[in-house]
Amino acid sequence: MNGVNEKTNRIGWWFIGLSIVGFAAFMIYPIVSSVKLVFSSLSGDSSTFVGFGNFVRLFHDTTFWSSLGNSFLFLIVEVPIMLLFAIILAVVLNSKTLKLRGFWRLLIFLPCVTSLVSYSILFKMLFSADGLINKFLENIHLISAPIPWLTDPTMAKIVIILALLWRWTGYNMIFFLAGLQNVSDEIYEAAEIDGASKIQQFMHITLPALRPIILFTAVQSTISTLQLFDEPMNITNGGPNNSSTTIAMYIYNVSFKYVPNFGYAAAMSYVVMFIILVLSVIQMKVANKDD
Amino acid sequence: MKKFTKALVGMGVVMASATLLTACGNSNSSSSSNSGTTTVTIWADDPNFNVPVMKTAVKMYNAEHKSSGVKFKVQTEGDYNTKVQTVLSAGNKKNYPNIIKIEDYGAKKLISSYQDAFLTQDSVNLSNFSAYKKSVVSYKGKTYGMPFDSGVSALFYRKDIFKKYGVTAKDLDNITWDQFIKLAEKVHKGSGKSILGTGALIGEDPDMVRQLLQSAGAWYFDDSGKLDVNSTAFKESLKTVKKLKDDGLITGYSDFNARNKALYNGNNLAVIEGSWFSASIKADKKSSGKWGIATVPRLSGVKGATNSTNEGGSSWYVLNTGNTKADNAAKKFLKTMFDGNSSFYAKVLKNQAAVATYKPAMKNKEWDTTDTFYNQKVNQYFKKNMNKIPAVSYGIHSSEVENILSGNLGNYYSGKTSLNATISKIESSYKSQVGSN
């Protein structure tokens, strides 16, 4: 028996060996060597060891804090709205009485297969001063002058949030929809017989049943929102007045636009990673409180 | 569940760090020599301008050096500045192109950051070029770049409409901003149109501030490279833009295309841009005869203020690929064509409207012919003013400063913050962002 196990083991190792090599070369090695970067200041091809100098500098860097603030704002406003929409949509699309269910599901998931850059450019066009949205609002006489969607700091943030909602709600909905398949109809039937309203059913059956999925989507959305780059880069280019510059954009600028300093950029990346780690742990602790 | 959460944390950490740290960039050009022939790779970014210019240079050079054993390859690269910075950061000499175009504003940043990557071009005779180019292509007393085109600025304006409201070409010649604002107000009140336009929101547009600064021989930095936004020139530049804005004489468009549209349909009557912008004006063929050019107004009350300035322009640099044969061939090619061949310059002036800074070629009569679109000797204007552009050192942190400016100037122009408060905010942001470097 033992011999067979050993043999299967060996074959198994062969199967995963290749991906381990790839993982080591392209993930583990860069991560380990980035630790070295964090403690040095690189100006182009000259490198000096600065210890925690990058972190001290980062602490005083107002641009770092303001872009981190922007990223957090997107996180705090967009993620809860998106997840709520996603759950509601999932419940509606799970209803047995809904006609053309497959069609609606497809329609809501479709934005997720569009490329980030192309949908961002489309949003930029839609919301430009003489874009479709303004033209439409003017034609139905809702507004008399074009709304400065992309040129007003608050409006620009709203446009980016709208874009994110459009792109990612369907993606999260799929997870909830999958989660709902595991909830037995009998529970709802029993609840109905006991006189529970639809809202009560949602609050006391659906939501608890979806808890692990909510956790998963919340953690994943937190990670991706803190790394937000494509949308602000393409829709507003961080403007106006740097009001939509995210931390990932600032890291990019420090690496590729300004005097290149990969050490400083790596230090910022580690701070963001640490924040994500802390947020993820908190979310898990909150979600698993009763376990 | 426990296992799942652990896996999730692990995944999160790896994903977060990996996506943030792995910067993607690939290039696949080679400058290697294979059996006898040496390949010299040239990078440029504008398929309507510097790419055909380079192709012309290669064609003419090859005709004269048939048995040199060197093959030239001109490549058009998109997303240019990022690509150049990425290939230099990667530091793999074999992947370097031999010759690259670098925008004058960004040259010092790249040379100082990647000193080993650049080769000096000691044989360039800088006295052959417009004086302001010298500080652009030099670093630590050595010549790194082959000066190429100039962005000598001009006021492009709708002369038909200006004339309608009593403003002639003579009125606009060599005046101050105060005088210009008075004239512009006349046209603005009469026509109801915006006078000047910028290709970005006014607070985010570096072009206007840049041009005003350089017209007075100033920049964001002093000669030693220290931030210098407390200068009279800087303050006066900001005040001028604010005055234009308060009087409704300037409009900031969301991007360059939006501005071009406004220029073509007559909603915006003038623009201050580098000579290369002429091509965009001329793209609207039906407005032939309606446009004119004049000098850029000068700042009032600033020492050294002139009516000449610059926006953009670029030079050619040779990279150290480790392949001596290709490196030397690249240098020789540049020296032969760009610092010695006047008929080449005449050709690209005619075909690509390349306003180059090579002085010996300016004797060519092509510079003094009347441009039928403007009905004016446009190239002659460029030629004359190019040599009057005040020389400034662009420093290495211009991108950083411009980003800080776009975060702060909007509030000043809208009246939310005072001039002095804005400047001290810019200074403190710069200090905190650029840090010890």
Side-chain angles (χ1 to χ4, degrees):
Chain A
M1 263 326 258
N2 212 4
V4 175
N5 258 344
E6 238 167 54
K7 203 182 168 198
T8 359
N9 260 340
R10 224 177 304 139
I11 295 171
W13 277 110
W14 276 110
F15 272 113
I16 60 169
L18 201 66
S19 65
I20 285 182
V21 170
F23 186 74
F26 295 109
M27 288 291 217
I28 297 174
Y29 170 70
I31 290 170
V32 170
S33 65
S34 73
V35 176
K36 206 173 73 189
L37 275 181
V38 166
F39 298 108
S40 50
S41 176
L42 278 88
S43 190
D45 49 16
S46 67
S47 160
T48 39
F49 181 79
V50 291
F52 285 95
N54 281 329
F55 293 98
V56 174
R57 177 177 163 191
L58 180 152
F59 194 77
H60 295 286
D61 187 345
T62 47
T63 317
F64 170 77
W65 291 109
S66 68
S67 31
L68 194 64
N70 289 336
S71 288
F72 262 96
L73 191 92
F74 287 127
L75 174 72
I76 291 163
V77 177
E78 193 257 347
V79 172
I81 299 177
M82 174 178 71
L83 294 186
L84 188 69
F85 271 153
I87 296 176
I88 293 171
L89 281 171
V91 170
V92 171
L93 292 179
N94 202 37
S95 147
K96 297 235 155 47
T97 50
L98 185 76
K99 278 189 185 131
L100 294 171
R101 263 203 308 183
F103 175 71
W104 296 119
R105 285 179 185 179
L106 173 76
L107 215 62
I108 289 170
F109 185 72
L110 218 50
C112 300
V113 294
T114 49
S115 119
L116 291 176
V117 175
S118 49
Y119 104 87
S120 298
I121 291 170
L122 278 176
F123 262 78
K124 186 182 176 175
M125 286 161 75
L126 284 175
F127 284 95
S128 69
D130 54 355
L132 209 63
I133 305 277
N134 271 335
K135 283 269 150 63
F136 173 73
L137 291 176
E138 273 174 56
N139 282 342
I140 61 167
H141 300 290
L142 220 59
I143 51 170
S144 52
I147 296 174
W149 291 109
L150 301 175
T151 49
D152 177 83
T154 316
M155 285 299 184
K157 284 187 183 126
I158 292 174
V159 171
I160 289 177
I161 288 171
L162 286 175
L164 289 171
L165 286 174
W166 182 83
R167 174 67 168 77
W168 294 105
T169 304
Y171 175 77
N172 288 295
M173 179 205 69
I174 290 293
F175 291 104
F176 291 121
L177 210 48
L180 285 175
Q181 307 313 309
N182 290 331
V183 188
S184 153
D185 288 339
E186 289 154 22
I187 305 175
Y188 288 105
E189 278 163 25
E192 203 129 321
I193 292 168
D194 286 345
S197 68
K198 283 279 173 210
I199 293 181
Q200 279 172 323
Q201 288 177 29
F202 178 76
M203 297 300 285
H204 298 289
I205 302 172
T206 313
L207 278 188
L210 288 179
R211 206 170 62 182
I213 316 284
I214 295 175
L215 171 68
F216 171 74
T217 49
V219 171
Q220 225 197 14
S221 305
T222 304
I223 294 171
S224 58
T225 313
L226 282 180
Q227 296 178 4
L228 190 64
F229 178 80
D230 298 62
E231 288 88 351
M233 185 78 179
N234 289 299
I235 298 176
T236 60
N237 198 9
N241 298 351
N242 293 346
S243 61
S244 58
T245 304
T246 61
I247 187 66
M249 281 180 78
Y250 186 50
I251 291 171
Y252 171 85
N253 285 345
V254 167
S255 313
F256 297 106
K257 209 172 138 198
Y258 301 159
V259 172
N261 191 331
F262 287 103
Y264 189 41
M268 286 194 274
S269 307
Y270 268 84
V271 169
V272 175
M273 187 201 79
F274 184 73
I275 292 170
I276 290 173
L277 188 73
V278 170
L279 286 179
S280 304
V281 169
I282 291 173
Q283 283 167 342
M284 280 165 194
K285 280 268 179 302
V286 171
N288 288 338
K289 220 161 41 188
D290 320 322
D291 276 10
Chain B
M1 194 60 214
K2 267 275 144 67
K3 250 188 190 162
F4 172 67
T5 54
K6 255 188 199 156
L8 209 65
V9 174
M11 249 169 62
V13 171
V14 170
M15 266 164 53
S17 45
T19 11
L20 279 167
L21 289 172
T22 45
C24 48
N26 62 330
S27 70
N28 47 4
S29 77
S30 72
S31 54
S32 60
S33 57
N34 46 353
S35 64
T37 53
T38 308
T39 308
V40 169
T41 312
I42 302 166
W43 277 12
D45 62 339
D46 188 342
N48 296 315
F49 180 57
N50 45 34
V51 172
V53 163
M54 255 309 167
K55 283 189 172 153
T56 309
V58 167
K59 213 172 149 191
M60 290 176 81
Y61 184 82
N62 282 342
E64 284 170 30
H65 302 79
K66 276 191 183 115
S67 53
S68 63
V70 183
K71 213 182 113 212
F72 293 91
K73 213 164 89 193
V74 184
Q75 284 179 194
T76 316
E77 299 290 337
D79 211 357
Y80 192 80
N81 295 336
T82 313
K83 195 151 199 177
V84 166
Q85 198 155 325
T86 310
V87 79
L88 291 173
S89 301
N92 187 350
K93 289 186 179 212
K94 278 188 190 139
N95 280 340
Y96 287 169
N98 296 92
I99 297 172
I100 55 174
K101 171 231 115 173
I102 300 179
E103 212 178 46
D104 288 347
Y105 295 130
K108 284 243 163 59
K109 170 183 81 176
L110 292 176
I111 300 169
S112 66
S113 300
Y114 304 103
Q115 277 185 60
D116 297 340
F118 287 87
L119 291 175
T120 56
Q121 298 185 57
D122 307 309
S123 62
V124 178
N125 184 359
L126 286 176
S127 61
N128 278 340
F129 297 89
S130 292
Y132 85 98
K133 277 277 187 178
K134 189 181 168 185
S135 64
V136 172
V137 297
S138 310
Y139 180 71
K140 288 191 176 164
K142 285 185 185 142
T143 306
Y144 279 87
M146 174 65 75
F148 176 48
D149 69 315
S150 166
V152 52
S153 303
L155 170 77
F156 297 85
Y157 69 104
R158 280 291 294 269
K159 61 180 171 196
D160 54 335
I161 295 170
F162 271 58
K163 207 171 174 185
K164 197 169 152 196
Y165 299 100
V167 181
T168 62
K170 222 175 172 185
D171 298 332
L172 291 168
D173 203 34
N174 287 314
I175 56 173
T176 65
W177 275 102
D178 292 341
Q179 290 167 304
F180 177 81
I181 286 170
K182 275 195 198 109
L183 298 173
E185 264 167 356
K186 255 194 336 196
V187 183
H188 174 63
K189 278 195 189 114
S191 64
K193 308 283 187 191
S194 167
I195 304 300
L196 291 169
T198 54
L201 300 179
I202 299 172
E204 311 214 330
D205 168 66
D207 298 14
M208 196 71 183
V209 178
R210 274 179 193 165
Q211 291 178 90
L212 292 179
L213 278 175
Q214 193 166 1
S215 76
W219 196 245
Y220 310 127
F221 312 102
D222 61 17
D223 287 337
S224 66
K226 275 209 187 91
L227 187 74
D228 186 24
V229 290
N230 230 325
S231 65
T232 348
F234 188 78
K235 285 181 181 165
E236 205 52 49
S237 302
L238 297 198
K239 276 194 216 158
T240 305
V241 177
K242 182 163 165 53
K243 183 131 206 312
L244 289 166
K245 188 189 169 267
D246 291 346
D247 294 355
L249 300 175
I250 191 166
T251 306
Y253 295 91
S254 55
D255 54 36
F256 285 96
N257 290 332
R259 181 179 66 176
N260 284 357
K261 217 160 120 187
L263 290 172
Y264 297 155
N265 65 23
N267 283 332
N268 204 87
L269 304 179
V271 70
I272 290 178
E273 278 293 3
S275 50
W276 42 266
F277 192 70
S278 181
S280 297
I281 298 270
K282 283 176 162 182
D284 182 39
K285 289 201 177 73
K286 66 180 188 321
S287 66
S288 176
K290 293 178 182 168
W291 285 91
I293 64 163
T295 54
V296 178
R298 67 176 178 275
L299 292 171
S300 329
V302 180
K303 227 172 116 188
T306 69
N307 289 92
S308 301
T309 187
N310 177 66
E311 166 61 28
S314 61
S315 305
W316 300 102
Y317 295 80
V318 177
L319 294 183
N320 182 5
T321 60
N323 177 348
T324 327
K325 222 175 138 193
D327 292 348
N328 289 337
K331 281 194 209 173
K332 192 181 160 203
F333 162 72
L334 284 182
K335 171 79 187 161
T336 314
M337 298 312 297
F338 288 85
D339 187 16
N341 195 325
S342 290
S343 57
F344 154 68
Y345 279 112
K347 209 168 189 174
V348 294
L349 173 67
K350 200 172 167 202
N351 295 337
Q352 275 82 38
V355 178
T357 51
Y358 184 63
K359 285 196 282 192
M362 291 178 192
K363 291 188 197 96
N364 194 293
K365 64 177 187 306
E366 189 66 40
W367 284 95
D368 299 310
T369 51
T370 303
D371 189 313
T372 50
F373 181 90
Y374 299 94
N375 217 355
Q376 205 175 336
K377 289 182 180 170
V378 170
N379 287 334
Q380 197 183 52
Y381 165 85
F382 290 148
K383 178 171 85 172
K384 269 193 200 151
N385 274 274
M386 196 193 307
N387 294 323
K388 293 187 204 158
I389 298 172
V392 297
S393 174
Y394 291 138
I396 62 172
H397 289 294
S398 289
S399 280
E400 282 91 331
V401 174
E402 279 166 6
N403 201 47
I404 292 169
L405 291 186
S406 55
N408 288 293
L409 292 190
N411 284 337
Y412 166 66
Y413 293 144
S414 66
K416 270 187 211 143
T417 50
S418 71
L419 180 61
N420 285 333
T422 309
I423 287 175
S424 52
K425 187 94 189 293
I426 294 168
E427 282 173 336
S428 66
S429 298
Y430 180 80
K431 208 177 148 207
S432 72
Q433 189 179 319
V434 173
S436 52
N437 283 353

